Amino acid sequence: MDCGSGVNQVLVFNKHKPWIETTYHGIITENDDKVLLDPPLIALDKDAPLRYAESFEVTLTEEGEICGFRIHGQNVPFEAVVLDKSTGEGVIRAKDKLDCELQKEHTFTIQAYDCGEGPDGANMKKSHKATVHIQVNDINEYSPVFKEKSYKATVIEGKKYDSILKVEAVDADCSFQFSQICNYEIVTPDVPFTVDKDGFIKNTEKLSYGKERMYKLTVTAYDCGKNRASEDVLVKISVKPTCKPSWQGFNKRIEYEPGTGSLALFPSMHLETCDEPITSIRANVELETNHIGKGCDRDTYSEKSLHKLCGASSGTVELLPAPSSSANWTVGLPTDNGHDSDQVFEFNGTQAIKVPDGMVSTSLKEPFTISVWMRHGPGAHEKETILCNSDKTEMNRHHYSLYVHNCRLILLLRQDPSEAENYKPAEFHWKLDQACDKEWHHYVLNVEFPSVSLFVDGTTFEPFLVTEDYPLHSSKIETQLTIGACWQDNSGHDNDTESVSEPTSGGNARMAQFFRGNLAGLMIRSGKLENKKVIDCLYTCKEGLDVQLPEEVASAVEFNPNQSSLTVEGDDIDAFDKVMQHISYLNSRQFPTPGIRHLRISTTVKCFNEESCVTVPDAEGYVMVLQPEEPKISLSGIDHFARSAAEFESQEGVTLFPELRIVSTITREVEADTESEAAEGADDDPTVQETVVSEEIMHNLDTCEVTVVGDELDGEHESLEVDMTQLQQHGLEMSSSNLGLVISGVNTMANYEQVLHLIRYKNWHTEALFDRKFKLVCSELNGRYISNDFKVEVNVIHTANPVEHANNAMVQPNFINPVHHASVDLSGHNLVNAHQASVVPSAATIVIVVCVSFLVFMIILGVFRIRAAHQRTMRDQESGKENEMDWDDSALTITVNPMEVKTHARKRQNCFFS
């Protein structure tokens, strides 16, 4: 102790631990580092000097000072700092900026320690651990964001809604104040809608579909800190007209491209029932094809060809064929000449035709069939005859006839005379609505006396009345078969008898019981009875409705015979919609008839409450069958050649079309390949979007006609012949006349080529014949597509016998050289098998060469004289032309008539010696 210092130093040891509170609560604002603690952070130590001591002595002890605070916990984003060691005051602060949205509260422990440290630190004292709770206060840093990018709703006109839809926004702030949406607002002005604080939008007035079909609103949101949404949201409200039960979701115009197979008609269609509870639905879908051909799209081959295609055997006679050189009795009848459809004959009540004798040899003792397409409306009360076989003269007896009377179809069938004159069935009556509905129907009568069966559109009908009569009396009177009326001799008392001008005869013909309507495809087959399969084949349309139902759909579907309508029934609306969506249109023709086919859907609905049951109006649309790419049939080959007269007179004759080629092409527009065009170079025109390409296709032919150009064929010394074996193998038929021949039947172009290659022309008297010209034309679908006219000219080479006139061999024209070629091509003329063997002496050759040289000299001299004297030039020019033609003849390899040899040789000798 220093007694003189006046200050007493007292050495005190570190006996006590620091002391702090047990719990602290703090608040910190995010993006700040200061923490406000309650209570403040202060550590006390009893070893520290007393501020208010009873004596003036000061005790200096380092052990009483607070040196620091230690925080315990994992990843605590805070630190504690001592502000004053002597007082033990400290603060807690954030190491980095805090984010309330990541963590709102933090809890950890803190401990204080004093400065009483010895050499080994054993004298440092620590306080107990206190718990610190710190809450992070939020700032309004985020704006509201809508949950959806846009909102849609549909309302029905004329109603006010409590709520149409709800928009909803969220805020990412962590506090209740700043994370709550306090208000929504419609930004778009002058719209009849409002939105409340919860986001519910409703209309403020009744909406009208006619005034506005869709409203587009812009809506924003505010949080409770008055921050506006970062992006406003678009709200679309569609206005539907007042709910009306109907079919919805299908196009009224449906385009069908030929050759594409089945096309779904209603892929997105559904039935709107306006939430009315439904017990059953029945829908009828109709495809109107009555205006197409004979009721729908069918192959337009001749009726005879169609019978063969359907498997009918031979023996069919076509009574209403298309007019041609071999069948001309229908020439004068008005027809539907549109090649897109079948050929239809019109009978207006004043026209009828006579079928040539011998066309039909029907024996009524054997089965036979009559088939016809007929369109007939309600007529007069008189009989209207379709087909009639009656006496040509005197007695006016009807042997058999088919006619319409008061919407009844009647077949009259009188038996030939027999030993037993008993009553036998003579008239068969059918009462038919089809006979008077002005629509096309297909009629087939199978006659197997005494029974007759009738098929109308493939459906069997039994006669409701059969009358009997005696057989006809025996007579030798010939019969006349007529169509459109019945032939009668001038009875003088029949009111339906008129005098008309017939197409076939050109004279006055007495006819009765005229038909008024349309007929087509009238056929009669003797000795054969058509079966049901053939009838169905003849009647079946090539177009119609189709449906491929999925397995899970159990609705019932029914078709009519020609598939122009179908009926769907069901009780489940969703399943019913699926069936309707699978209904399709199909046209199997390679070249369908273009045009419109109307569609109609008739619907019947049954409900639990029949009084308030909905009514579904008919839905209408149409299928537009586009124009098919029309084929161009091209005939090509050798069109000019020559043959020796001997070949024309031979047994084989001359083949007219030895190298004929039949090709069919279609031309279509395709989109250009832009990549390939770019690769070809920059010179290409970039504006060209389409290019035209030609593509070869295969299809059938049904007729090829060879006609002679010029004089008609003289049957006494010339003819056209066909290989009948080839013809029969391919199922083709041939008819001929003095104009040429016609090959008919549906077959491939290749088979037609084979048959046409073998057509031969013969002529037994060729002395005065120098050439003959022929024309070949082929067609498809009964003349719908016709080829080019392929004309062939055949020249006749007249040859001489080298054995005769041997004494004149020396004076024979020396410009004819020995020829041993079988074929020589001269200026496009093929001279085939022109066998010649002319032997010319060498002396004659020298003479002719000298003479020809002299002629050339004279021609040149004549040219110069033309310049000098015009009058003399004219004479020399004529002589020069004559000599020039003699010179040109030397280029031809021909054999002249030996009778003319002497004359030509003398002329050349005179030329030489002159």
Side-chain angles (χ1 to χ4, degrees):
M1 180 180 295
D2 187 359
C3 299
S5 61
V7 178
N8 296 325
Q9 285 186 339
V10 182
L11 298 177
V12 182
F13 295 98
N14 190 12
K15 297 180 179 181
H16 303 283
K17 297 179 180 180
W19 178 88
I20 57 177
E21 298 287 344
T22 57
T23 302
Y24 293 91
H25 293 276
I27 297 175
I28 185 173
T29 302
E30 62 179 346
N31 300 329
D32 195 2
D33 62 347
K34 295 178 182 180
V35 179
L36 298 178
L37 282 179
D38 181 23
L41 180 60
I42 297 176
L44 301 177
D45 194 329
K46 290 184 178 181
D47 296 323
L50 298 177
R51 176 175 295 184
Y52 305 102
E54 293 182 358
S55 61
F56 291 101
E57 60 180 1
V58 178
T59 305
L60 300 174
T61 58
E62 292 182 0
E63 291 79 0
E65 294 182 351
I66 302 301
C67 277
F69 298 93
R70 184 171 297 169
I71 293 176
H72 299 277
Q74 288 185 339
N75 301 323
V76 178
F78 296 96
E79 61 182 1
V81 181
V82 177
L83 297 180
D84 190 339
K85 290 183 178 181
S86 61
T87 61
E89 184 180 356
V91 294
I92 296 176
R93 60 189 180 190
K95 295 178 182 180
D96 296 306
K97 291 183 178 180
L98 301 179
D99 191 344
C100 174
E101 286 72 34
L102 296 178
Q103 189 170 346
K104 293 183 179 181
E105 293 183 351
H106 297 270
T107 300
F108 53 89
T109 59
I110 190 170
Q111 191 177 31
Y113 59 90
D114 59 18
C115 298
E117 297 183 3
D120 54 359
N123 293 330
M124 182 183 67
K125 299 293 184 181
K126 300 178 182 178
S127 70
H128 62 275
K129 294 180 179 179
T131 301
V132 179
H133 300 282
I134 298 178
Q135 178 181 339
V136 182
N137 281 351
D138 185 27
I139 61 173
N140 196 9
E141 58 183 324
Y142 292 100
S143 299
V145 177
F146 285 95
K147 287 186 175 182
E148 304 291 339
K149 292 183 178 180
S150 63
Y151 293 86
K152 296 180 180 179
T154 302
V155 296
I156 298 176
E157 65 175 346
K159 292 179 62 178
K160 285 191 70 174
Y161 291 82
D162 294 332
S163 174
I164 297 174
L165 78 159
K166 180 183 180 181
V167 295
E168 187 175 0
V170 294
D171 195 306
D173 287 311
C174 65
S175 64
F176 178 83
Q177 177 185 3
F178 298 141
S179 64
Q180 293 298 305
I181 306 300
C182 283
N183 187 31
Y184 291 92
E185 181 182 340
I186 296 176
V187 180
T188 306
D190 301 327
V191 290
F193 298 94
T194 184
V195 60
D196 62 17
K197 63 182 182 63
D198 296 320
F200 290 101
I201 297 177
K202 63 180 181 179
N203 55 322
T204 57
E205 62 184 46
K206 294 180 179 180
L207 305 178
S208 171
Y209 177 79
K211 181 180 179 181
E212 190 71 45
R213 297 187 179 185
M214 176 180 286
Y215 290 90
K216 296 181 180 180
L217 317 176
T218 301
V219 179
T220 191
Y222 294 91
D223 62 20
C224 294
K226 296 187 178 180
N227 264 6
R228 182 173 173 169
S230 56
E231 290 185 6
D232 298 340
V233 71
L234 177 65
V235 179
K236 296 180 180 179
I237 300 177
S238 300
V239 181
K240 289 178 60 177
T242 304
C243 183
K244 298 177 181 178
S246 62
W247 288 105
Q248 298 181 1
F250 77 99
N251 295 325
K252 292 189 175 182
R253 175 187 170 96
I254 305 156
E255 291 188 353
Y256 181 81
E257 184 175 351
T260 55
S262 183
L263 173 67
L265 296 176
F266 322 112
S268 303
M269 188 171 70
H270 68 277
L271 180 62
E272 175 61 61
T273 60
C274 300
D275 300 326
E276 183 72 26
I278 303 297
T279 59
S280 66
I281 314 169
R282 177 185 175 92
N284 184 49
V285 183
E286 295 181 62
L287 179 72
E288 294 183 5
T289 60
N290 295 334
H291 61 292
I292 304 295
K294 297 190 293 288
C296 65
D297 213 0
R298 296 181 175 90
D299 284 330
T300 54
Y301 295 118
S302 68
E303 199 69 20
K304 194 169 186 178
S305 297
L306 289 175
H307 274 68
K308 285 192 174 182
L309 289 176
C310 290
S313 56
S314 59
T316 302
V317 179
E318 192 170 7
L319 300 182
L320 284 176
S324 65
S325 59
S326 59
N328 58 0
W329 63 88
T330 59
V331 170
L333 285 177
T335 60
D336 173 15
N337 288 321
H339 288 319
D340 288 342
S341 61
D342 300 312
Q343 190 170 47
V344 173
F345 294 92
E346 180 182 356
F347 294 84
N348 59 10
T350 62
Q351 295 161 318
I353 59 173
K354 293 193 295 184
V355 179
D357 295 339
M359 288 297 300
V360 178
S361 57
T362 303
S363 173
L364 302 184
K365 297 178 181 179
E366 297 182 359
F368 69 96
T369 301
I370 299 175
S371 63
V372 65
W373 285 93
M374 181 177 71
R375 177 169 60 186
H376 182 262
H381 297 290
E382 295 83 10
K383 297 179 181 179
E384 297 183 48
T385 301
I386 301 169
L387 178 69
C388 180
N389 188 34
S390 60
D391 291 335
K392 275 190 175 182
T393 58
E394 300 178 13
M395 302 183 69
N396 292 336
R397 298 177 304 172
H398 295 182
H399 293 252
Y400 62 87
S401 66
L402 181 65
Y403 60 93
V404 180
H405 188 210
N406 291 332
C407 296
R408 298 179 182 181
L409 185 68
I410 302 171
L411 175 66
L412 170 66
L413 189 59
R414 299 291 300 276
Q415 287 295 296
D416 290 334
S418 61
E419 295 180 359
E421 293 190 358
N422 299 325
Y423 274 106
K424 293 183 179 180
E427 279 190 344
F428 301 83
H429 297 246
W430 292 271
K431 179 68 175 178
L432 300 172
D433 294 334
Q434 293 90 332
C436 293
D437 63 0
K438 295 184 179 181
E439 301 290 345
W440 278 107
H441 298 285
H442 187 236
Y443 301 83
V444 175
L445 291 102
N446 283 327
V447 180
E448 191 169 14
F449 196 81
S451 65
V452 178
S453 58
L454 171 67
F455 294 87
V456 180
D457 297 338
T459 303
T460 306
F461 288 84
E462 294 296 329
F464 79 95
L465 176 64
V466 177
T467 62
E468 295 182 341
D469 202 348
Y470 283 108
L472 295 173
H473 296 290
S474 177
S475 69
K476 295 182 179 181
I477 301 174
E478 294 182 352
T479 59
Q480 176 64 59
L481 183 61
T482 56
I483 301 173
C486 215
W487 175 267
Q488 291 187 177
D489 193 12
N490 187 12
S491 60
H493 56 76
D494 196 337
N495 294 332
D496 349 12
T497 302
E498 297 182 33
S499 178
V500 298
S501 179
E502 286 186 303
T504 55
S505 63
N508 289 329
R510 293 172 178 84
M511 295 283 186
Q513 303 169 4
F514 285 92
F515 180 78
R516 294 173 177 83
N518 298 99
L519 298 176
L522 179 57
M523 308 286 293
I524 188 166
R525 275 162 44 104
S526 60
K528 298 293 180 181
L529 184 65
E530 294 183 348
N531 58 39
K532 184 67 166 58
K533 290 183 179 179
V534 174
I535 296 171
D536 291 340
C537 176
L538 293 172
Y539 170 71
T540 303
C541 296
K542 294 292 185 178
E543 66 176 338
L545 300 173
D546 190 20
V547 59
Q548 299 294 331
L549 293 180
E551 295 181 358
E552 66 273 11
V553 177
S555 298
V557 180
E558 296 180 0
F559 288 91
N560 70 337
N562 62 357
Q563 291 191 310
S564 63
S565 70
L566 60 85
T567 302
V568 184
E569 292 186 6
D571 53 10
D572 182 83
I573 294 181
D574 293 335
F576 199 89
D577 288 342
K578 287 184 179 180
V579 174
M580 298 297 290
Q581 292 167 7
H582 282 80
I583 295 176
S584 59
Y585 169 79
L586 176 64
N587 194 316
S588 59
R589 292 190 66 191
Q590 186 177 10
F591 306 109
T593 303
I596 291 176
R597 279 79 163 159
H598 288 281
L599 279 169
R600 180 180 290 104
I601 306 174
S602 305
T603 311
T604 303
V605 176
K606 293 184 178 180
C607 310
F608 288 103
N609 187 354
E610 293 296 333
E611 294 180 358
S612 63
C613 193
V614 297
T615 301
V616 180
D618 291 352
E620 295 185 355
Y622 62 92
V623 177
M624 171 59 75
V625 178
L626 302 179
Q627 179 74 37
E629 295 166 335
E630 297 192 357
K632 179 182 179 182
I633 306 173
S634 302
L635 309 180
S636 60
I638 301 174
D639 59 357
H640 197 173
F641 58 90
R643 298 290 188 271
S644 66
E647 290 191 52
F648 287 91
E649 298 175 358
S650 67
Q651 185 66 27
E652 291 79 13
V654 175
T655 56
L656 294 180
F657 314 106
E659 298 183 18
L660 177 68
R661 183 83 170 91
I662 304 176
V663 176
S664 183
T665 57
I666 58 174
T667 302
R668 65 178 64 181
E669 293 182 353
V670 297
E671 294 183 358
D673 188 350
T674 55
E675 294 182 0
S676 61
E677 288 182 354
E680 291 176 1
D683 295 335
D684 296 338
D685 186 3
T687 61
V688 178
Q689 299 295 328
E690 294 183 345
T691 182
V692 177
V693 298
S694 182
E695 177 182 344
E696 184 173 341
I697 63 170
M698 300 301 296
H699 58 78
N700 292 329
L701 298 176
D702 59 1
T703 303
C704 280
E705 184 173 3
V706 181
T707 55
V708 61
V709 179
D711 296 337
E712 297 181 357
L713 292 173
D714 188 343
E716 294 184 358
H717 64 264
E718 62 180 341
S719 67
L720 286 173
E721 296 183 2
V722 181
D723 190 322
M724 297 305 297
T725 303
Q726 284 282 342
L727 207 67
Q728 293 173 1
Q729 286 180 356
H730 296 308
L732 299 174
E733 295 184 356
M734 187 270 293
S735 60
S736 61
S737 67
N738 57 354
L739 299 177
L741 58 84
V742 178
I743 299 174
S744 59
V746 181
N747 217 313
T748 63
M749 293 186 292
N751 288 342
Y752 262 94
E753 273 187 9
Q754 293 179 13
V755 173
L756 292 172
H757 284 168
L758 301 177
I759 292 182
R760 302 179 302 276
Y761 170 67
K762 294 182 182 181
N763 195 307
W764 300 278
H765 300 285
T766 59
E767 292 83 1
L769 181 67
F770 295 97
D771 59 59
R772 206 68 161 110
K773 298 179 181 179
F774 300 90
K775 181 178 70 174
L776 172 65
V777 178
C778 295
S779 64
E780 161 70 336
L781 292 174
N782 210 18
R784 180 176 175 183
Y785 302 116
I786 303 176
S787 72
N788 60 306
D789 291 351
F790 179 62
K791 296 181 179 180
V792 173
E793 180 177 348
V794 184
N795 296 114
V796 182
I797 302 173
H798 294 279
T799 59
N801 189 347
V803 178
E804 298 179 359
H805 309 283
N807 296 330
N808 298 325
M810 293 298 293
V811 294
Q812 199 172 9
N814 293 330
F815 56 84
I816 302 177
N817 298 320
V819 176
H820 302 284
H821 301 291
S823 176
V824 179
D825 185 18
L826 298 177
S827 302
H829 295 221
N830 290 334
L831 306 181
V832 182
N833 296 330
H835 301 293
Q836 307 170 40
S838 301
V839 180
V840 182
S842 59
T845 302
I846 296 173
V847 171
I848 196 63
V849 169
V850 174
C851 185
V852 169
S853 300
F854 180 76
L855 287 174
V856 173
F857 172 76
M858 292 298 294
I859 292 172
I860 296 173
L861 181 62
V863 172
F864 283 103
R865 289 184 176 181
I866 289 173
R867 297 178 181 271
H870 179 70
Q871 293 180 353
R872 187 175 182 180
T873 299
M874 296 300 294
R875 294 193 298 271
D876 292 340
Q877 186 176 4
E878 292 177 0
S879 176
K881 285 185 178 180
E882 180 181 357
N883 294 333
E884 184 181 0
M885 290 183 65
D886 289 341
W887 170 257
D888 289 339
D889 288 343
S890 66
L892 294 173
T893 305
I894 63 175
T895 304
V896 299
N897 193 332
M899 298 297 295
E900 299 175 355
V901 171
K902 292 182 180 180
T903 304
H904 289 291
R906 288 191 183 118
K907 287 182 180 179
R908 284 158 179 76
Q909 286 179 351
N910 293 335
C911 174
F912 176 77
F913 290 109
S914 64

